[in-house]
C-alpha cells in the first residue's frame, strides 16, 4: 500500500515515462547495452526512492499504531471472582461489576446496581449536552460516556463492538493526526521552493532547447532530424523534470514526521505518552509550566503524620503512636472518629486472594483509611452496621465530601471532610474528651487556625473531619451545610519527589517559569514551593479567592509575579492560562488530573494529564499523558521538544543549500555550455540520499543538556534564523565557486585531454558536489 502511494508522485510518473521513452529511442540509435543505460538508471533510481519512502512510511505507521494502542489503554476497578481488582477494559467480560467515580469513562454497556448522585455525560453518543441522572428508574449505562458526578456500580451486559459505542465506531474510520504547525509552516516553504524550482526547470529546458536549435540552424541541419536528436531533447526534458524533483523539498514534511515519531517513541520509554504530534514541537517552545502539587511535585504516597484531636496534637509514628492515642481519647470519641473515617469515603478496604487488606482509592483517602485501621477499626463491620442514605462526592470546586448515614438506633448523622478552612467555617461546635459537642469559641477557632497553619508550614496537607446529628426528619435527605461539630484536624505527609528540585532548576535555567497551582492550604503550598525552588524571594503566593477578586488590570500586572496559587478552583487555573497566553503571549504547558481540569488542559498550548491520578476525561483533553505523574518527565518532554525543533532546523539548512547549489549549477551550465553537468540519474541519487538518509541523520539526533541552557523560541520567531541564512548563503557561494572553478578550469588543472575529458570533469564535479554536502552535513550535525 505504501509503495503504491509513493508511486503516485507526479514527478516520478513523468520521470518513468521519460525513462521508458529513453530506452525506446536509445536501443535503436545506440544499440545494446549502451541505449539502456540512461533509461534503466532512472528506473532503478525511482525504484530506490519509492522503496525507501515506502519503508520509512510503513515503519512510522507501525510506531503510530503502537502509540494508538497505548492511548486506548484504560484500566478500571471491577469486582470479579468475589474480590475487587484492577483490569484493562480489553479484559472486561459480561457479568463483571464495574466501580465508577467522577471522571471515569464507562467501559461497556451495563445496568445500574447501586450508587449516589450519578450524572453521566452522554453527549458523545446522543449529542445532548445535559448530563443524565442514572438511578434505579433510569438504570442503563452506555459505553464511551463519562461520569461527571457521583459514584456507583454497574453490571456489565455488553462489551466490545457489540456495545452502542462499538456499533457507532464500526461506521467510522478514525482519522490520523492533523498536520502540526511546523509541518504546515514547512509545507509553505516547500511550496515556494517548488515554484522556484519549477521556474528554474522551465528556464533550463528552454535555454537547452534554444541552444540546440540555434546550433542546428548554424550547422544548416535544421531540416534534418534523427532519432539521436530526439534522444537529446528527451534528455533535456528529463534533466528539467529531475531539477523539479530535486528542487521540491518533499523531505521537509518527512523530516518533521520522522523527528516527531522518533521523539514520541523515545518519550514513551521515558514515561510520556504523546497523544498529539504537535505537542512534541510546541513543548519545545514552552515558556511557562503551570503544575499541580500533589503527585507531580510530591510522591502521592500519603500517610497521616500529625493529628489534632480533643485539644491535643499528636505525631503518628506507626502502631505505638496509635496505642498512645487510643489511651488519650475516650471510647465515644474513638467511635465517632472511626465512623467519620469509614463512612465518609469513596475508597474501600478489600481483601485480596491471600486474605490481606488492600486499600483501593485516592492517596488522601487511603491515608485516612490506613489511619483508621491503625486505630483498630473494621471497615466492613462499620459499613454493615450503618446505612449510607446520601453521598455528595468530593470535587475540586466544593473541596469537601459529605454523607448522610442512618445509625443502628434510627438517628441520622451527617459527616463532612475536606479543606480545613472550609470545614472549620461550617463548624460551630467541637467534640470534647467525653465525645460531647460543646460550643466552639472564637479563641478556640483562632487556636485551631494556628494549628492548621502550623501543619501547613511543615508541608503537611491539612484536612478537617466533622459530624452533625440531623434532628429534622423532614429534611433527612438534605445534607446540612452548617452547624457541624469538629472532630479532628489531620496533617497528611506527602514527601517531595526525588529529582524535582533539579528539574525545576533546569526549567529556570532554560527560561521556563514554573508556577504551582494547587487546591491545598497556602502554607502547605508555600512550604513545598520553597523546598522545590519554585517560590523565590520576589515571587508572589496568593489564594484563589484573592485572584478571582482582582480586576483585569490588576491581573495583568500581578500574573507575571505569581509563582504559587493555593486553594484554587479549576476555573482559576483556566483564567491564569488564558491570561498568560493572551495578555503575556506566553507558550503555556498545564498539568491536570481531575475532570474539572479539562477546560484548562484544552485552553493551554500543551495539556499534560497525569497517567496515574488523572481521570479519563482529563487524559482525553490532554496532548501528553505523563505516565509516572512526575515533574521530571515534563522537563524531559520540553527537552525533546527543543531537540525536534533544532533537528528540523538543521535539516532545512542542509536541504536548502543542496537545492540552491543544484539549481544554480545546472541552470548556469545550461546557459553557458548547453549541457547540464548533473544527469537525471545523479540528481535522483542526491535526492534519495538527501530526503531519506539526510533526514534520518539530522532529524533523529537525541537531545543534550545544552538545549536546556538557552531561552525558549517565541511564537513569532522566524523558523529560518539569520544564522541559518548566513550558513545557507555562505555554503552555497563556497560550493558554487568550487564547482565553477572545476567546470571552467578543470581540464587544465587536472591535465585532461581526449574524447572522455568532458565526462571525467562532469563526474569529478558531481563527486565534489557530493563531498561538499557530506562536509556540510557534518557541520550541521555539530
Amino acid at each position: 500500500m505504501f509503495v503504491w502511494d509513493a508511486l503516485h508522485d507526479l514527478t516520478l510518473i513523468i520521470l518513468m515515462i521519460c525513462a521508458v521513452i529513453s530506452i525506446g529511442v536509445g536501443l535503436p540509435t545506440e544499440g545494446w547495452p549502451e541505449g539502456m543505460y540512461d533509461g534503466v538508471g532512472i528506473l532503478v533510481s525511482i525504484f530506490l526512492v519509492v522503496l525507501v519512502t515506502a519503508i520509512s512510511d510503513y515503519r512510522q505507521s507501525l510506531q503510530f499504531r503502537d502509540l494508538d494502542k497505548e492511548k486506548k489503554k484504560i484500566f478500571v476497578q471491577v469486582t470479579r471472582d468475589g474480590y475487587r481488582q484492577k483490569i484493562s477494559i480489553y479484559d472486561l467480560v459480561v457479568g463483571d461489576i464495574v466501580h465508577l467515580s467522577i471522571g471515569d469513562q464507562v467501559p461497556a454497556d451495563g445496568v445500574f446496581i447501586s450508587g449516589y448522585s450519578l450524572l453521566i455525560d452522554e453527549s458523545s453518543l446522543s449529542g445532548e449536552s445535559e448530563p443524565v441522572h442514572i438511578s434505579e428508574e433510569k438504570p442503563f449505562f452506555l459505553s464511551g460516556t463519562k461520569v461527571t458526578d457521583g459514584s456507583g456500580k454497574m453490571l456489565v451486559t455488553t462489551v466490545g463492538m457489540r456495545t452502542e459505542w462499538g456499533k457507532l465506531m464500526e461506521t467510522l474510520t478514525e482519522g490520523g493526526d492533523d498536520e502540526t504547525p511546523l509541518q504546515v509552516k514547512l509545507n509553505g516553504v516547500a511550496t515556494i521552493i517548488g515554484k522556484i524550482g519549477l521556474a528554474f526547470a522551465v528556464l533550463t529546458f528552454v535555454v537547452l532547447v534554444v541552444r540546440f536549435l540555434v546550433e542546428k540552424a548554424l550547422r544548416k541541419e535544421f531540416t534534418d532530424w534523427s532519432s539521436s536528436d530526439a534522444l537529446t531533447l528527451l534528455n533535456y526534458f528529463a534533466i528539467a523534470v529531475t531539477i523539479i524533483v530535486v528542487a521540491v523539498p518533499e523531505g521537509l514534511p518527512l523530516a518533521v514526521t520522522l523527528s516527531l515519531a522518533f521523539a514520541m517513541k523515545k518519550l514513551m520509554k521515558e514515561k510520556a505518552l504523546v497523544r498529539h504530534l504537535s505537542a512534541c514541537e510546541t513543548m519545545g517552545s514552552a515558556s511557562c509550566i503551570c503544575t499541580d502539587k500533589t503527585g507531580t511535585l510530591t510522591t502521592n504516597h500519603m500517610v497521616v503524620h500529625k493529628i489534632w484531636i480533643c485539644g491535643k496534637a499528636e505525631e503518628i509514628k506507626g502502631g505505638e503512636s496509635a496505642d498512645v492515642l487510643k489511651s488519650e481519647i475516650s471510647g465515644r470519641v474513638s467511635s465517632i472518629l472511626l465512623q467519620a473515617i469509614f463512612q465518609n469515603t469513596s475508597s474501600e478496604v478489600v481483601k485480596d486472594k491471600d486474605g490481606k487488606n488492600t486499600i483501593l482509592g485516592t492517596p488522601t483517602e487511603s491515608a485516612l483509611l490506613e489511619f483508621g485501621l491503625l486505630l483498630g477499626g473494621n471497615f466492613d463491620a462499620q459499613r454493615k452496621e450503618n446505612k449510607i442514605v446520601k453521598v455528595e462526592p468530593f470535587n475540586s470546586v466544593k473541596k469537601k465530601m459529605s454523607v448522610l448515614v442512618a445509625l443502628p438506633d434510627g438517628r441520622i448523622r451527617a459527616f463532612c471532610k475536606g479543606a480545613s478552612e472550609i470545614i472549620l467555617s461550617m463548624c460551630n461546635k467541637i467534640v470534647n474528651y467525653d465525645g460531647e459537642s460543646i460550643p466552639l469559641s472564637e479563641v478556640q477557632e483562632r487556636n485551631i487556625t494556628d494549628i492548621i497553619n502550623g501543619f501547613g508550614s511543615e508541608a503537611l496537607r491539612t484536612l478537617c473531619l466533622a459530624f452533625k446529628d440531623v434532628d429534622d426528619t423532614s429534611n433527612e435527605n438534605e445534607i446540612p451545610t452548617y452547624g457541624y461539630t469538629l472532630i479532628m484536624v489531620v496533617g497528611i505527609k506527602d514527601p517531595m519527589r526525588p529529582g524535582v528540585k533539579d528539574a525545576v532548576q533546569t526549567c529556570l535555567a532554560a527560561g521556563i517559569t514554573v508556577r504551582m497551582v494547587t487546591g491545598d492550604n497556602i502554607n502547605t503550598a508555600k512550604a513545598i514551593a520553597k523546598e522545590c525552588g519554585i517560590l523565590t524571594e520576589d515571587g508572589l503566593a496568593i489564594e484563589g479567592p484573592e485572584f478571582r477578586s482582582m480586576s483585569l488590570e490588576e491581573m495583568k500586572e500581578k500574573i507575571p509575579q505569581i509563582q504559587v496559587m493555593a486553594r484554587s478552583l479549576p476555573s482559576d487555573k483556566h483564567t491564569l492560562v488564558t491570561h498568560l497566553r493572551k495578555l503575556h503571549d506566553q507558550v503555556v504547558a498545564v498539568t491536570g488530573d481531575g475532570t474539572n481540569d479539562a477546560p484548562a488542559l484544552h485552553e493551554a498550548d500543551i495539556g499534560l494529564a497525569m497517567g496515574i491520578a488523572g481521570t479519563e476525561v482529563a487524559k482525553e483533553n490532554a496532548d501528553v499523558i505523563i505516565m509516572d505523574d512526575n515533574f521530571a518527565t515534563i522537563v524531559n518532554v520540553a527537552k525533546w521538544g527543543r531537540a525536534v525543533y533544532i533537528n528540523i532546523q538543521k535539516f532545512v539548512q542542509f536541504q536548502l543549500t543542496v537545492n540552491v547549489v543544484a539549481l544554480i549549477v545546472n541552470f548556469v551550465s545550461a546557459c553557458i555550455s548547453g549541457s547540464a553537468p548533473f544527469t537525471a540519474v545523479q540528481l535522483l541519487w542526491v535526492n534519495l540520499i538527501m530526503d531519506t538518509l539526510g533526514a534520518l541523520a539530522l532529524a533523529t539526533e537525541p537531545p543534550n543538556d545544552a538545549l536546556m541552557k538557552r531561552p525558549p523560541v517565541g511564537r513569532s520567531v522566524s523558523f529560518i534564523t539569520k544564522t541559518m541564512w548566513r550558513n545557507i548563503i555562505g555554503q552555497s557561494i563556497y560550493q558554487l565557486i568550487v564547482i565553477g572553478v572545476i567546470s571552467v578550469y578543470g581540464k587544465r588543472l587536472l591535465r585532461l585531454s581526449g574524447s572522455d575529458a568532458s565526462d571525467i570533469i562532469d563526474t569529478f564535479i558531481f563527486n565534489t558536489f557530493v563531498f561538499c554536502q557530506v562536509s556540510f552535513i557534518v557541520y550541521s550535525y555539530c
Side-chain angles (χ1 to χ4, degrees):
M1 184 185 77
F2 288 109
V3 167
W4 184 248
D5 286 345
L7 281 168
H8 278 72
D9 188 287
L10 182 61
T11 50
L12 292 182
I13 291 168
I14 294 169
L15 281 172
M16 280 188 273
I17 295 167
C18 287
V20 171
I21 296 170
S22 177
I23 293 168
V25 176
L27 281 173
T29 54
E30 297 181 25
W32 173 271
E34 286 82 1
M36 295 283 289
Y37 287 161
D38 283 347
V40 171
I42 292 171
L43 287 175
V44 169
S45 298
I46 289 168
F47 171 74
L48 287 172
V49 169
V50 167
L51 194 65
V52 170
T53 304
I55 290 169
S56 176
D57 288 346
Y58 175 66
R59 288 181 66 184
Q60 281 173 42
S61 75
L62 289 181
Q63 283 185 22
F64 289 127
R65 197 182 302 167
D66 292 343
L67 288 166
D68 201 48
K69 279 182 187 174
E70 286 293 328
K71 284 183 200 175
K72 291 174 181 172
K73 267 188 189 175
I74 299 172
F75 289 90
V76 288
Q77 295 278 354
V78 301
T79 298
R80 181 191 285 181
D81 298 334
Y83 70 95
R84 192 160 157 179
Q85 52 193 293
K86 192 178 184 180
I87 64 165
S88 166
I89 58 167
Y90 295 112
D91 299 328
L92 269 181
V93 293
V94 173
D96 280 336
I97 293 170
V98 178
H99 300 256
L100 296 168
S101 56
I102 295 176
D104 285 348
Q105 183 170 305
V106 178
D109 288 355
V111 290
F112 176 82
I113 296 175
S114 63
Y116 307 97
S117 311
L118 259 175
L119 285 177
I120 305 292
D121 176 10
E122 294 185 352
S123 58
S124 55
L125 281 177
S126 66
E128 294 293 330
S129 57
E130 281 297 310
V132 177
H133 179 68
I134 300 292
S135 61
E136 288 173 1
E137 289 74 34
K138 194 169 184 182
F140 298 107
F141 289 93
L142 297 174
S143 174
T145 57
K146 297 175 183 69
V147 182
T148 57
D149 201 3
S151 60
K153 297 176 188 175
M154 74 169 227
L155 177 69
V156 175
T157 57
T158 321
V159 295
M161 298 309 284
R162 293 177 183 272
T163 63
E164 289 300 313
W165 180 258
K167 289 172 187 172
L168 177 66
M169 287 298 103
E170 276 184 329
T171 64
L172 301 173
T173 54
E174 190 171 339
D177 265 306
D178 291 333
E179 285 189 324
T180 72
L182 194 53
Q183 281 174 321
V184 172
K185 197 182 284 186
L186 290 179
N187 280 338
V189 171
T191 305
I192 293 165
I193 296 168
K195 286 176 181 176
I196 295 167
L198 180 63
F200 268 92
V202 171
L203 275 172
T204 305
F205 180 68
V206 168
V207 167
L208 288 171
V209 170
V210 167
R211 278 188 65 100
F212 175 75
L213 293 174
V214 168
E215 285 173 5
K216 210 167 170 55
L218 290 172
R219 290 196 304 268
K220 297 181 180 177
E221 297 173 0
F222 201 78
T223 54
D224 297 331
W225 290 84
S226 63
S227 55
S228 62
D229 292 334
L231 194 61
T232 302
L233 290 172
L234 185 67
N235 282 338
Y236 290 163
F237 183 69
I239 288 166
V241 174
T242 312
I243 285 173
I244 296 171
V245 173
V246 176
V248 175
E250 66 271 20
L252 291 186
L254 170 70
V256 177
T257 310
L258 196 66
S259 190
L260 291 171
F262 179 72
M264 286 172 81
K265 191 176 179 183
K266 292 292 182 184
L267 282 168
M268 263 302 296
K269 292 178 182 175
E270 295 185 18
K271 304 291 183 186
L273 171 61
V274 180
R275 294 186 75 250
H276 301 130
L277 267 181
S278 57
C280 264
E281 63 187 52
T282 313
M283 194 65 196
S285 302
S287 56
C288 169
I289 299 174
C290 296
T291 177
D292 290 329
K293 176 185 76 68
T294 307
T296 309
L297 301 173
T298 58
T299 59
N300 213 17
H301 180 72
M302 301 192 189
V303 288
V304 174
H305 182 65
K306 276 188 174 182
I307 64 162
W308 182 90
I309 188 167
C310 298
K312 290 182 180 178
E314 295 284 347
E315 189 171 335
I316 307 301
K317 293 180 179 175
E320 291 179 11
S321 300
D323 292 337
V324 171
L325 179 63
K326 280 189 279 185
S327 67
E328 290 183 355
I329 59 173
S330 66
R332 193 173 172 193
V333 173
S334 180
S335 172
I336 293 169
L337 175 59
L338 291 174
Q339 277 183 353
I341 291 171
F342 291 133
Q343 299 298 330
N344 189 15
T345 182
S346 59
S347 298
E348 285 187 61
V349 179
V350 297
K351 294 195 183 296
D352 59 19
K353 287 179 180 177
D354 304 323
K356 292 179 181 176
N357 281 336
T358 304
I359 300 170
L360 298 172
T362 63
T364 306
E365 295 208 317
S366 297
L368 284 172
L369 288 179
E370 210 171 290
F371 177 64
L373 295 173
L374 201 63
L375 291 176
N378 187 316
F379 181 83
D380 291 329
Q382 281 277 356
R383 282 297 176 99
K384 285 173 186 171
E385 195 177 293
N386 304 288
K387 184 190 174 187
I388 294 175
V389 179
K390 187 175 182 181
V391 178
E392 276 185 7
F394 178 89
N395 70 41
S396 50
V397 176
K398 293 180 291 188
K399 300 195 184 300
K400 63 185 175 71
M401 178 181 180
S402 309
V403 292
L404 270 183
V405 178
L407 301 178
D409 58 10
R411 288 181 299 144
I412 300 290
R413 181 171 283 173
F415 292 99
C416 192
K417 73 174 179 195
S420 44
E421 310 94 282
I422 292 171
I423 302 302
L424 185 59
S425 69
M426 293 166 62
C427 295
N428 63 357
K429 297 186 185 72
I430 187 169
V431 75
N432 67 6
Y433 175 81
D434 298 318
E436 295 171 347
S437 296
I438 59 171
L440 178 64
S441 67
E442 285 185 18
V443 174
Q444 283 176 311
E445 192 172 341
R446 279 198 298 274
N447 288 340
I448 294 166
T449 302
D450 290 341
I451 293 291
I452 291 166
N453 291 337
F455 282 8
S457 60
E458 293 177 45
L460 300 179
R461 189 173 204 186
T462 59
L463 299 174
C464 284
L465 277 64
F467 80 99
K468 180 181 181 179
D469 288 320
V470 181
D471 300 323
D472 186 1
T473 54
S474 62
N475 289 324
E476 62 179 23
N477 282 336
E478 291 297 317
I479 298 178
T481 56
Y482 186 70
Y484 281 85
T485 301
L486 182 69
I487 306 169
M488 179 173 70
V489 178
V490 188
I492 296 175
K493 192 173 187 177
D494 185 13
M496 189 175 78
R497 280 184 183 273
V500 163
K501 191 169 185 178
D502 291 339
V504 169
Q505 291 307 313
T506 302
C507 282
L508 296 175
I512 303 171
T513 307
V514 182
R515 293 179 169 88
M516 181 200 286
V517 184
T518 179
D520 262 357
N521 176 289
I522 184 78
N523 294 306
T524 308
K526 282 163 76 173
I528 290 285
K530 281 176 182 173
E531 199 178 340
C532 296
I534 293 172
L535 186 59
T536 58
E537 292 295 325
D538 56 346
L540 183 62
I542 65 166
E543 290 186 307
E546 184 187 342
F547 178 73
R548 290 192 292 278
S549 66
M550 288 181 182
S551 66
L552 189 62
E553 284 303 312
E554 285 177 313
M555 280 189 182
K556 192 172 182 179
E557 185 188 335
K558 295 281 184 184
I559 280 175
Q561 300 164 35
I562 294 174
Q563 292 175 343
V564 175
M565 192 190 293
R567 287 291 180 235
S568 65
L569 300 177
S571 59
D572 298 331
K573 190 187 279 188
H574 183 264
T575 305
L576 180 65
V577 170
T578 305
H579 288 330
L580 280 168
R581 290 185 72 233
K582 293 180 179 174
L583 298 180
H584 300 280
D585 198 35
Q586 293 204 18
V587 179
V588 184
V590 168
T591 69
D593 51 19
T595 305
N596 291 320
D597 287 329
L601 290 169
H602 188 73
E603 174 66 27
D605 295 284
I606 313 102
L608 305 158
M610 298 299 110
I612 300 168
T615 62
E616 290 310 316
V617 176
K619 291 175 190 176
E620 201 170 271
N621 282 277
D623 302 298
V624 181
I625 299 171
I626 307 301
M627 307 298 279
D628 59 355
D629 292 12
N630 193 344
F631 185 79
T633 306
I634 298 170
V635 179
N636 269 341
V637 177
K639 190 189 287 186
W640 271 100
R642 291 187 175 198
V644 166
Y645 195 86
I646 295 291
N647 289 348
I648 294 166
Q649 278 188 322
K650 288 176 182 177
F651 180 72
V652 168
Q653 180 176 276
F654 167 65
Q655 178 142 38
L656 290 183
T657 306
V658 175
N659 287 4
V660 167
V661 174
L663 284 174
I664 293 174
V665 166
N666 262 21
F667 177 68
V668 171
S669 182
C671 292
I672 295 170
S673 65
S675 65
F678 300 146
T679 65
V681 174
Q682 286 173 334
L683 287 176
L684 277 171
W685 187 83
V686 168
N687 191 60
L688 170 71
I689 299 301
M690 185 172 67
D691 281 354
T692 53
L693 301 181
L696 193 66
L698 290 173
T700 57
E701 186 187 353
N704 54 65
D705 292 336
L707 289 173
M708 298 304 280
K709 290 174 182 172
R710 58 173 73 181
V713 179
R715 289 181 194 276
S716 55
V717 174
S718 174
F719 180 74
I720 303 176
T721 62
K722 289 179 181 177
T723 306
M724 288 172 69
W725 279 122
R726 184 197 68 201
N727 291 339
I728 292 165
I729 294 165
Q731 268 290 325
S732 299
I733 292 169
Y734 158 69
Q735 291 183 26
L736 287 169
I737 290 169
V738 170
I739 291 168
V741 167
I742 295 169
S743 182
V744 176
Y745 302 107
K747 290 179 186 177
R748 195 188 309 165
L749 290 170
L750 299 173
R751 296 174 186 174
L752 296 173
S753 58
S755 58
D756 61 349
S758 295
D759 290 339
I760 292 171
I761 285 297
D762 285 348
T763 306
F764 194 79
I765 287 170
F766 177 69
N767 280 287
T768 304
F769 174 68
V770 169
F771 279 107
C772 280
Q773 308 323 317
V774 171
S775 65
F776 188 49
I777 203 169
V778 170
Y779 170 76
S780 297
Y781 196 82
C782 295

